[in-house]
Amino acid sequence: MFAKEKTVMEENRVRLICKRTVVSTKPVEQGRLYRFSVFDHVMEPNHIRFVYYYQSSKTREPGEITKKLRESLAYTLNCYPIVTGRLVKETDGTEENRWKVKSNDAGVRMIEARATGTVEEWRRSVNREEELKLVHWEDMYHLPYYWSTFYVQVTEFESGGLAIGLSCTHLLADPVCAMMFIRTWADLTLTRNMMTPPIFHSLPPRRFSSHKLSNNQLLSHYIKYCSLTAPPLNITEDHMVTITLLFPDPMVQSGENEAGLTAFEILSGLFCVCVSRAKGKRNELTDMSLCLDVRKLLRLDQSYFGNCMVYHKVHYSKPVKAIDRLLLLSYVVQEIHNVTKGLLDYHAVMDLVEWLGSNNNNPISNGSDLVCTNLENMGNPRPMMFEEDLMLSHLSCYVEGPVAGGGQVIVLPSSSGDGPMSRVVMVSLPQREMVKVLEDELLQSFSPVLLWRLQNKKINKD
Amino acid sequence: MSQATMPDFSSSVKLKYVKLGYQYLVNHFLSLLLIPIMAIIAVELLRMGPEDILNVWNSLHFDIVQVLCSSFLVIFISTVYFMSKPRTVYLVDYSCYKPPVTCRVPFATFMEHSRLILKDSPKSVEFQMRILERSGLGEETCLPPAIHYIPPTPTMDEARSEAQMVIFTAMDDLFKKTGLLPKDIDILIVNCSLFSPTPSLSAMVINKYKLRSNIKSFNLSGMGCSAGLISVDLARDLLQVHPNSNAVIVSTEIITPNYYKGNERAMLLPNCLFRMGSAAILMSNRRSDRWRAKYKLCHLVRTHRGADDKSFYCVYEQEDREGKIGINLSKDLMAIAGEALKANITTIGPLVLPASEQLLFLLSLIGRKIFNLKWKPYIPDFKLAFEHFCIHAGGRAVIDELQKNLQLSGEHVEASRMTLHRFGNTSSSSLWYELCYIESKGRMRRGDRVWQIAFGSGFKCNSAVWKCNRTIKTPKDGPWSDCIDRYPVFIPEVVKL
């Protein structure tokens, strides 16, 4: 298990075969316009990229699996007219010039590529820039009507394995529904049956009579952060690096006994504490926002397609004394738990929806906060498999744009082989902070496994 | 108001009955003449008693030599007649290629690709959009995979793989439908106008299916969209010479190498209209196939207007200003097509039209030419000669023009319009898709006559007349099987993109 460390100055291991457009198999009803919800509009300048890595136990002809995936993608797109449509800005009297999707049946772009080596070798030696070669993205053209909002890339590894990259604009989808898209596609490829087709509709109106909350922290966070325009300077100067860590059992390691805590809460708390120390803050904790899915709160099904994740800042009610780090961790986790179980409730979210609908035209930015995104439940109930022998070995997620803040921690489900409580965390931080975080003994006490290497540096690996 | 319309209506009804009566009289003239004669003979026979009949019979003096000579004469004449009669050529069955759904090209995708590839000439993109809006094509037409790439990669390898995909699939389907074994094919004709590699496409078919070494194979290229009927003509002539044989014809057009990458407007039209398709046809002159054959070939008329310069240059493949090769369609294409059609009709009319129409046409001709009367030229009513029409789906304008010239109703041209909508212009194989449409709608009955008309570069107009041999059940599979219930659709003049 040792491959000699490959340097970053590699020649291009990913070779582009072709770029084409995949359309649905049935023509769509022409001319339908889909409007975006307020959550969609507020996320406009960002985009998401996912890479799914699969290892295969069967050898295949090159191009065979790509062809099969292309066909099943065409069938999947029959249920996603919004994904195959194009953005238009149309004024229709009541609304001003906002984006809408015209379902014109144009399709999504698909890129086919080949890469040398195996998935394992790739994962051991690449960094963020290289990984992004597995997921194609194009910024909006000056003619948005010809710009595809979704890009799918299928890269076959010559010695076995497959990488599927999906990138899309945040205006249409959040990470939850992008992952549901991959799940639907995988189900259709494997079983020829679509088990969780997407649901499209506008956000449901308020259920009970409206009463504005007196202290709506969620709303105040949005009010403040929607008017932030440019990100602070120090973010653009520092080079961001991304690493992936596997935590085998964060709940046990933390020693937390309180019921109702989730692994996400513990891991976000952990990173908050470590990043604060890495930033050199002695008596205060770094600003942190949690990105949480509110579909359940709004009684929406998980297959609701559209943005439904909100950013909630964590407020520290008591002043902080940084003596016992475990106690500090416990305190932060408690504050996070208050947000997820207490402060974030139906009325807070509905107030936000109403405010966004009437007062706000600006997208949200997370400034230089640390953003922790909860995607830990996306591995249930069954893994996303395209074929019987393709095992999902790893999943990477990137969110780019003003909501990325000053650092990201994305908590993802882990492959089934690692135990039900294990989690994979993708951490993106400025390089200086990342080095310090990885050396932090509190982090090391959770026995994380470093799944990737940091570029150009050798790090102690557990 | 109603008073004024009533006389019109009743007079048009009266006129209709007059016409019907006249047609019945002239077309069944001989049988109408025979009835009174038979009646007279029957009356005579009944008047004479049985002894009188016997007397007449005995007076005939049948001599053994006379009997032998007259029967010998009868046998001789009938043998000469049967030997010199041309062999009947049957169309046993045919199959049309159904492109996979993943090759579908909706208008929006086509326009988007055009825009991305022709970044520097937005006017050409606008022009293509206008053509597509008025083209009569639908959202389910298909282009080969190489044209789906951005930018398209029309290499020779891709062209060959498209040829293999469309030809082999159609042939496999034909073998399955007819139970034909590849080694039993005697004659193979492949026609594909714009792609002609070495070894030829017919050699490719022989290689794939391991056909016999003494097969008579032909590869027709460069003959345009009417090459399908030219192949049928060739097969018919060969089947006259070779007894007890069958012939397989493959008609296709390979789109991959011919995607025009420039921005000359007259040359962009084929990009918008031509789509992927092919057909494989089995023809035979064996008597054993008489029972299972679908159609019998009655006539095939070929008209070539190449002697006229304007007709010759109207569909011309050339390089544009930038050196990119494309097919230039001239503006008077419709007029030239009309003239070619007239020449073809003049030849085929006497072969197929009933006597009533021919008489009227003759009278009108005599009146105009000899007596110089100012009559309009009489257009014979071809609806009396044929039950079904298959007009090459070259484009909406061609079908409109022919509908006007031949005075056909919407239902007669429905097969052509719907084929254009569902499959686009598949060049020489479009006639077969149209025939398949008519069969899929369950309209083909025994004895129905079908007229296939094709136009091609040169300028050629070829027509074939088939007679249905047995009532055809609606096919369960085939290119129309999954969508025939949605047709006919209403195709608007202009589709808003």
Side-chain angles (χ1 to χ4, degrees):
Chain A
M1 182 133 154
F2 308 61
K4 56 186 192 342
E5 227 174 285
K6 297 204 174 139
T7 62
V8 180
M9 305 294 281
E10 277 263 344
E11 338 134 354
N12 225 348
R13 285 165 50 168
V14 178
R15 194 175 81 243
L16 180 73
I17 304 282
C18 71
K19 179 164 121 172
R20 62 171 97 203
T21 307
V22 176
V23 301
S24 56
T25 60
K26 294 198 180 57
V28 300
E29 185 198 322
Q30 283 287 342
R32 245 191 100 175
L33 275 180
Y34 290 90
R35 288 209 181 81
F36 292 118
S37 70
V38 290
F39 285 141
D40 294 321
H41 284 296
V42 91
M43 299 297 287
E44 189 192 321
N46 308 287
H47 64 273
I48 309 173
R49 300 202 207 185
F50 276 96
V51 185
Y52 284 71
Y53 291 95
Y54 287 89
Q55 282 180 319
S56 69
S57 47
K58 197 165 81 163
T59 45
R60 288 186 170 79
E61 288 289 324
E64 181 194 327
I65 185 75
T66 306
K67 181 158 184 265
K68 183 161 184 204
L69 288 177
R70 194 168 65 233
E71 283 174 16
S72 60
L73 179 62
Y75 284 98
T76 313
L77 289 175
N78 282 335
C79 293
Y80 286 89
I82 229 181
V83 167
T84 56
R86 294 289 179 263
L87 291 177
V88 291
K89 254 191 186 165
E90 280 180 18
T91 43
D92 56 355
T94 51
E95 292 178 30
E96 312 119 33
N97 226 5
R98 304 198 102 180
W99 289 115
K100 295 187 181 64
V101 172
K102 182 168 169 187
S103 80
N104 64 355
D105 211 3
V108 302
R109 296 275 182 267
M110 177 160 168
I111 285 95
E112 297 172 22
R114 301 273 155 80
T116 53
T118 64
V119 171
E120 272 307 315
E121 286 165 19
W122 172 268
R123 279 179 44 213
R124 273 203 288 268
S125 58
V126 297
N127 58 18
R128 181 191 171 108
E129 276 82 33
E130 292 243 339
E131 182 170 48
L132 290 179
K133 286 192 189 137
L134 291 181
V135 53
H136 186 83
W137 170 251
E138 287 169 19
D139 288 319
M140 194 189 282
Y141 308 153
H142 73 279
L143 281 174
Y145 194 60
Y146 300 115
W147 178 66
S148 172
T149 47
F150 271 66
Y151 295 82
V152 174
Q153 177 167 342
V154 176
T155 309
E156 287 187 24
F157 282 82
E158 281 164 10
S159 312
L162 182 69
I164 296 180
L166 173 71
S167 63
C168 63
T169 166
H170 222 305
L171 181 61
L172 261 78
D174 59 11
V176 170
C177 57
M179 292 175 86
M180 288 303 291
F181 176 76
I182 298 279
R183 178 182 286 286
T184 316
W185 182 17
D187 285 341
L188 197 74
T189 314
L190 182 66
T191 64
R192 319 213 65 167
N193 215 345
M194 199 176 274
M195 299 187 206
T196 49
I199 306 172
F200 301 92
H201 55 78
S202 45
L203 290 174
R206 199 163 195 141
R207 286 199 303 275
F208 314 118
S209 60
S210 91
H211 61 283
K212 293 253 186 299
L213 287 181
S214 50
N215 179 21
N216 189 342
Q217 290 190 9
L218 176 67
L219 184 54
S220 347
H221 173 71
Y222 271 77
I223 292 176
K224 181 172 163 207
Y225 281 66
C226 282
S227 48
L228 282 184
T229 45
L233 277 173
N234 57 343
I235 298 299
T236 52
E237 277 169 14
D238 261 336
H239 184 51
M240 293 291 273
V241 296
T242 306
I243 61 157
T244 311
L245 294 165
L246 168 67
F247 286 86
D249 207 341
M251 310 274 296
V252 165
Q253 298 283 29
S254 73
E256 290 288 334
N257 297 336
E258 188 174 326
L261 286 179
T262 63
F264 166 72
E265 290 162 0
I266 291 171
L267 289 167
S268 340
L270 172 65
F271 278 97
C272 176
V273 168
C274 296
V275 168
S276 311
R277 176 192 267 193
K279 282 192 168 152
K281 292 177 190 266
R282 288 268 145 214
N283 283 330
E284 52 172 331
L285 290 163
T286 180
D287 289 332
M288 179 165 77
S289 292
L290 303 175
C291 177
L292 303 164
D293 181 21
V294 295
R295 282 173 175 83
K296 275 217 177 77
L297 266 187
L298 296 179
R299 303 257 184 94
L300 293 172
D301 196 84
Q302 198 180 45
S303 28
Y304 166 76
F305 191 90
N307 277 286
C308 214
M309 293 178 92
V310 296
Y311 293 91
H312 198 303
K313 192 151 184 168
V314 177
H315 287 273
Y316 308 109
S317 46
K318 299 193 299 236
V320 169
K321 287 194 258 287
I323 305 168
D324 183 344
R325 297 194 82 217
L326 273 180
L327 271 183
L328 185 61
L329 175 61
S330 182
Y331 164 68
V332 174
V333 169
Q334 199 56 47
E335 291 290 359
I336 292 174
H337 188 68
N338 283 345
V339 169
T340 56
K341 288 293 174 290
L343 293 173
L344 191 63
D345 72 348
Y346 177 76
H347 292 290
V349 176
M350 288 314 294
D351 281 347
L352 173 64
V353 169
E354 281 167 16
W355 181 77
L356 286 172
S358 48
N359 292 341
N360 182 50
N361 281 333
N362 296 332
I364 185 167
S365 153
N366 277 320
S368 53
D369 293 359
L370 180 70
V371 180
C372 297
T373 308
N374 184 2
L375 293 174
E376 66 174 345
N377 293 322
M378 292 306 295
N380 307 334
R382 61 190 179 283
M384 298 186 206
M385 275 206 320
F386 284 84
E387 292 241 307
E388 288 292 341
D389 67 301
L390 285 174
M391 297 309 301
L392 178 65
S393 70
H394 181 63
L395 166 59
S396 299
C397 173
Y398 294 90
V399 177
E400 292 172 13
V403 292
Q408 282 193 60
V409 172
I410 305 181
V411 179
L412 296 161
S414 162
S415 316
S416 45
D418 298 318
M421 288 316 295
S422 61
R423 296 287 181 265
V424 168
V425 181
M426 286 193 70
V427 186
S428 300
L429 291 170
Q431 183 155 352
R432 295 173 295 108
E433 290 176 29
M434 182 68 86
V435 174
K436 293 196 188 130
V437 164
L438 288 176
E439 289 167 348
D440 193 317
E441 66 267 6
L442 183 63
L443 185 79
Q444 294 292 338
S445 73
F446 277 74
S447 325
V449 174
L450 184 67
L451 294 177
W452 279 9
R453 293 194 176 287
L454 195 57
Q455 60 187 92
N456 280 341
K457 288 213 166 202
K458 221 172 157 183
I459 298 294
N460 290 334
K461 190 172 103 129
D462 259 16
Chain B
M1 197 50 189
S2 57
Q3 276 297 82
T5 52
M6 270 306 284
D8 279 345
F9 177 68
S10 64
S11 71
S12 76
V13 169
K14 282 187 196 138
L15 195 61
K16 195 174 98 171
Y17 282 118
V18 166
K19 268 176 80 170
L20 271 175
Y22 160 73
Q23 282 164 3
Y24 201 72
L25 179 70
V26 175
N27 291 338
H28 298 101
F29 188 65
L30 282 175
S31 34
L32 285 177
L33 209 55
L34 206 57
I35 292 176
I37 293 176
M38 280 180 55
I40 292 171
I41 294 179
V43 166
E44 268 298 315
L45 279 177
L46 287 174
R47 263 195 323 120
M48 295 195 302
E51 289 104 28
D52 287 338
I53 297 173
L54 273 173
N55 284 342
V56 171
W57 180 257
N58 285 335
S59 70
L60 279 177
H61 292 301
F62 275 138
D63 201 356
I64 193 78
V65 177
Q66 269 184 330
V67 169
L68 268 177
C69 283
S70 30
S71 48
F72 179 69
L73 197 62
V74 165
I75 291 172
F76 180 70
I77 290 174
S78 50
T79 310
V80 168
Y81 169 68
F82 279 116
M83 294 298 282
S84 61
K85 191 167 80 119
R87 288 183 224 272
T88 333
V89 172
Y90 296 102
L91 190 157
V92 177
D93 208 343
Y94 63 97
S95 79
C96 296
Y97 172 68
K98 179 164 180 211
V101 279
T102 48
C103 287
R104 182 174 86 93
V105 179
F107 287 176
T109 314
F110 185 85
M111 289 317 307
E112 204 169 275
H113 279 224
S114 280
R115 189 68 182 76
L116 294 173
I117 294 160
L118 293 173
K119 283 190 280 289
D120 311 318
S121 17
K123 284 227 165 69
S124 302
V125 180
E126 270 295 312
F127 175 73
Q128 284 192 307
M129 189 145 89
R130 285 203 302 275
I131 298 288
L132 214 51
E133 282 172 354
R134 291 164 178 75
S135 61
L137 264 66
E139 301 269 6
E140 294 181 85
T141 62
C142 297
L143 280 174
I147 307 295
H148 287 254
Y149 298 150
I150 302 173
T153 56
T155 59
M156 191 158 203
D157 260 342
E158 291 281 353
R160 278 208 170 103
S161 74
E162 181 196 342
Q164 286 169 349
M165 181 166 72
V166 306
I167 293 177
F168 296 161
T169 314
M171 287 193 77
D172 287 338
D173 195 37
L174 182 70
F175 290 151
K176 202 169 71 153
K177 273 189 184 173
T178 56
L180 178 70
L181 291 172
K183 64 177 176 61
D184 290 336
I185 301 178
D186 301 305
I187 301 167
L188 174 70
I189 304 173
V190 177
N191 73 269
C192 169
S193 184
L194 294 166
F195 178 55
S196 180
T198 297
S200 62
L201 293 175
S202 60
M204 187 177 83
V205 171
I206 293 173
N207 170 261
K208 160 85 175 177
Y209 291 104
K210 314 283 179 248
L211 305 182
R212 292 201 313 258
S213 56
N214 63 349
I215 191 169
K216 298 196 178 12
S217 68
F218 297 88
N219 192 73
L220 298 175
S221 72
M223 299 190 91
C225 302
S226 59
L229 292 183
I230 296 177
S231 306
V232 172
D233 186 40
L234 180 61
R236 179 184 66 162
D237 289 344
L238 286 168
L239 288 172
Q240 302 302 326
V241 175
H242 299 288
N244 224 27
S245 316
N246 59 22
V248 170
I249 301 173
V250 179
S251 286
T252 181
E253 188 57 71
I254 303 300
I255 312 282
T256 306
N258 305 308
Y259 187 79
Y260 173 61
K261 297 197 271 293
N263 49 26
E264 193 73 32
R265 288 194 200 175
M267 296 160 91
L268 280 169
L269 249 120
N271 279 3
C272 299
L273 299 175
F274 278 88
R275 296 289 183 266
M276 196 163 73
S278 86
I281 300 118
L282 175 62
M283 296 185 61
S284 161
N285 61 7
R286 294 184 178 144
R287 291 196 48 90
S288 53
D289 285 330
R290 199 158 45 119
W291 309 111
R292 67 173 183 147
K294 277 186 172 172
Y295 300 94
K296 187 172 79 160
L297 180 61
C298 298
H299 305 282
L300 203 145
V301 173
R302 293 168 58 175
T303 320
H304 206 303
R305 305 279 300 158
D308 168 39
D309 276 346
K310 226 169 55 144
S311 304
F312 176 69
Y313 285 107
C314 89
V315 178
Y316 204 72
E317 184 181 16
Q318 62 192 59
E319 286 172 350
D320 66 3
R321 272 189 285 259
E322 294 162 11
K324 303 199 172 105
I325 299 184
I327 301 171
N328 197 337
L329 299 174
S330 94
K331 290 197 175 23
D332 20 313
L333 185 59
M334 283 302 116
I336 291 170
E339 279 175 42
L341 178 70
K342 236 187 279 192
N344 193 289
I345 286 180
T346 318
T347 317
I348 206 174
L351 296 173
V352 294
L353 286 170
S356 52
E357 293 296 314
Q358 296 202 38
L359 196 58
L360 279 176
F361 183 72
L362 191 63
L363 289 175
S364 135
L365 196 67
I366 292 175
R368 276 185 301 119
K369 300 286 187 206
I370 299 184
F371 298 115
N372 278 331
L373 293 171
K374 293 279 182 246
W375 282 344
K376 270 196 332 204
Y378 178 69
I379 301 174
D381 189 1
F382 282 90
K383 299 194 282 287
L384 293 172
F386 301 107
E387 278 73 35
H388 307 288
F389 294 80
C390 292
I391 300 169
H392 169 54
R396 198 186 203 150
V398 170
I399 302 177
D400 289 342
E401 180 77 15
L402 257 76
Q403 185 180 10
K404 199 174 67 161
N405 281 347
L406 298 174
Q407 294 169 343
L408 300 175
S409 74
E411 191 175 323
H412 288 121
V413 293
E414 183 185 309
S416 311
R417 283 201 202 279
M418 298 306 128
T419 300
L420 183 64
H421 183 265
R422 172 63 181 84
F423 293 100
N425 177 351
T426 57
S427 183
S428 41
S429 46
S430 63
L431 295 172
W432 302 105
Y433 284 100
E434 293 172 23
L435 196 58
C436 195
Y437 177 85
I438 300 173
E439 290 179 8
S440 302
K441 278 287 189 193
R443 294 178 188 161
M444 193 62 79
R445 300 242 167 301
R446 183 190 158 98
D448 280 357
R449 292 153 299 172
V450 185
W451 188 17
Q452 288 185 323
I453 312 173
F455 294 101
S457 59
F459 198 79
K460 302 189 268 290
C461 176
N462 299 330
S463 31
V465 178
W466 304 88
K467 189 163 174 155
C468 182
N469 204 32
R470 56 180 173 85
T471 300
I472 295 172
K473 286 200 297 275
T474 317
K476 279 182 280 301
D477 53 6
W480 291 99
S481 55
D482 61 344
C483 58
I484 191 69
D485 298 321
R486 282 190 269 131
Y487 283 90
V489 290
F490 168 67
I491 304 174
E493 263 311 306
V494 178
V495 173
K496 195 64 199 88
L497 279 184

